[in-house]
Amino acid sequence: MQAGFPFSRFADRLATQGALSSDSLDLLAKMPSSISHYGSRHHLMQRGELPTHCHLLLQGYLCWQDPDGRDGRIISIHVPGDVPDLYTVHDLQVDYDLVTVGPAVVASVPHRFFRELAELSPTLWRSLLRLILIDAATSRNWILNVSSRDALERVAHLICELATRLRAVGLARDLRVPSPFTQSELAAACSISAVHANRTIQELRRSSLLQWHSKTITITNWYGLVRLAGFNPAYLRLPAIDEVEAAEPPTARSTEAAVIADSLR
Amino acid sequence: MQAGFPFSRFADRLATQGALSSDSLDLLAKMPSSISHYGSRHHLMQRGELPTHCHLLLQGYLCWQDPDGRDGRIISIHVPGDVPDLYTVHDLQVDYDLVTVGPAVVASVPHRFFRELAELSPTLWRSLLRLILIDAATSRNWILNVSSRDALERVAHLICELATRLRAVGLARDLRVPSPFTQSELAAACSISAVHANRTIQELRRSSLLQWHSKTITITNWYGLVRLAGFNPAYLRLPAIDEVEAAEPPTARSTEAAVIADSLR
DNA sequence: CGCCTATTTGACCTTTCTCAATAGATGTGG
DNA sequence: CCACATCTATTGAGAAAGGTCAAATAGGCG
């Protein structure tokens, strides 16, 4: 998983679901793909299209967005190493638009490659299936986010999730989350209005939980944010990860927060 | 698919994803299972449990419910023929409670059976995978329902979805949807308060879109309900089904409603 | 019949939305 | 490097959808 390997984030991601054999790494190294750079808000795929390739995100963010409705609700957000449309290998229908958030680098990989993988490496194929199922678990959690938390908690939860997923592929280790998101896009993801998103972010700043400058969200109080959001990363199906090196670690090990901290360990 | 076959709804459900060979039917007939009857609000499975079996719903409804929060948000609803926890064959974590809504008949099927199926019948296994992916697509749609529709549209959409899914397995053909749901449960599914759910249902009744008597919702104006909800069943991945024999078919074949009607055909 | 649960209604409150205007940032061509 | 155009962030004020609380009514079932 050298830095030079273009699919290293993807390898990291897969490795969260089971160690990669050297055979598996060889297979990944031979993955046919064409790499493209896109600007912000580029639609990689539109509802109704018949896909023949998957999109492996190498850098930046992608999201699934509902093309209807003025405010273009965002259904899910994806980080480097993700293949947001991996499921299309087995279900050729696309219900939403796949859109870049900020500039992004994307590898296009033919469905055929993933289909052949089933025979070449059942283990790897199993890990891929698990990635699909994790996206499903994340969608279920997203339902809860937009339906049972208030605006402040929603935004906090989304940021916790992004930070955690980025850390799982070696990014945002210092809790500085790259954020090409406009406040309107954040609002579309949290299902609130842009104006309210603005006020919500101001409150998060006022509470000294985070800063948001020059396209970067800096989480200044991880445990506070986790507590506010009620964030429990179990649904992300990540193995134990490094302790968060954030300010203000929990003081009492017997609280709720400690349980969450343990789950992050 | 005789009425006597206990898994006939399941067979119907699978058949929506590809014709079932007689070999497949033989396999299904040999499916090991133990059948149980449950009362309302029985928790078949709780968050954190390690599942070894799947639950095939034979009669009634099941839902995934978030055990946290006073109002117990409902994440998804399942109809006969569904296996709500089919995904646990490949992902042993359970994030929510699996609960009956009204009395239900459930067959418990060991994971082992589905695992062996992969080798015995790749075709059948493929259909099962597609059922998992449809649940995922339904979750994504549920996000939209609770995040971008108002209360009236949400309730209407949920009822459209239930009716459509029931019809796909031979139930509710006359648009009479069995409803053991309390208004509070409907509210938990639509992410509104019980009081507001009540007022919303009253408005649907006042608009002559439906009746709700003696544990049955009778849809009296299917096209009106579809139009109000903005219901497009594409995400359910159902093959063409019979024309709805409801009152007030669309008058102009060129409208939006006609497009939706076609998709229902 | 009486209890328990579910539904319905009214009154009031809160969150969030919408509209509109201003200010700041970013980017582009001259 | 400036001036303009455009997009994004911020602020204020009023409105609307839906939530909460509390009480009354209506069903269903032993």
Side-chain angles (χ1 to χ4, degrees), chain A residues 41 182-184 195 198-199 202 205:
Chain A
R41 262 164 268 194
T182 64
Q183 294 185 359
S184 296
V195 170
N198 177 275
R199 294 183 169 125
Q202 287 180 50
R205 282 199 276 239

Side-chain angles (χ1 to χ4, degrees), chain B residues 41 182-183 195 198-199 202 205:
Chain B
R41 264 164 267 194
T182 65
Q183 293 185 0
V195 170
N198 178 273
R199 295 185 167 123
Q202 286 180 50
R205 281 199 276 239

Side-chain angles (χ1 to χ4, degrees), chain B residues 52-194:
Chain B
T52 58
H53 290 65
C54 290
H55 297 88
L56 163 55
L57 180 58
L58 301 179
Q59 280 178 43
Y61 294 99
L62 294 178
C63 71
W64 284 112
Q65 185 175 35
D66 180 27
D68 296 334
R70 275 177 308 140
D71 38 3
R73 281 279 181 272
I74 289 172
I75 304 305
S76 67
I77 294 177
H78 295 270
V79 301
D82 284 355
V83 184
D85 51 356
L86 186 52
Y87 80 88
T88 62
V89 172
H90 300 103
D91 175 6
L92 287 175
Q93 255 175 278
V94 172
D95 297 312
Y96 310 102
D97 289 4
L98 183 60
V99 185
T100 59
V101 184
V105 184
V106 176
S108 182
V109 183
H111 281 174
R112 185 176 34 74
F113 173 77
F114 294 112
R115 292 222 174 84
E116 289 169 1
L117 218 55
E119 283 158 38
L120 295 174
S121 170
T123 312
L124 203 48
W125 191 88
R126 234 184 121 68
S127 294
L128 287 168
L129 174 56
R130 287 183 57 82
L131 293 187
I132 293 176
L133 296 179
I134 291 170
D135 279 348
T138 304
S139 291
R140 292 190 293 265
N141 189 276
W142 197 284
I143 293 172
L144 280 186
N145 201 42
V146 297
S147 77
S148 64
R149 282 188 254 266
D150 68 21
L152 195 64
E153 295 165 341
R154 280 181 210 185
V155 173
H157 192 278
L158 177 58
I159 294 170
C160 286
E161 176 178 319
L162 285 180
T164 303
R165 290 168 63 186
L166 287 168
R167 288 165 57 85
V169 290
L171 299 168
R173 282 311 180 102
D174 51 359
L175 290 176
R176 290 163 49 86
V177 178
S179 170
F181 298 90
T182 65
Q183 293 185 0
S184 297
E185 286 162 340
L186 183 82
C190 292
S191 200
I192 56 182
S193 71

Side-chain angles (χ1 to χ4, degrees), chain A residues 43-50 64 67 94-98:
Chain A
H43 287 238
L44 294 170
M45 198 170 262
Q46 310 215 179
R47 176 173 58 197
E49 261 180 51
L50 204 75
W64 283 111
V94 172
D95 297 312
Y96 309 101
D97 290 4
L98 184 60

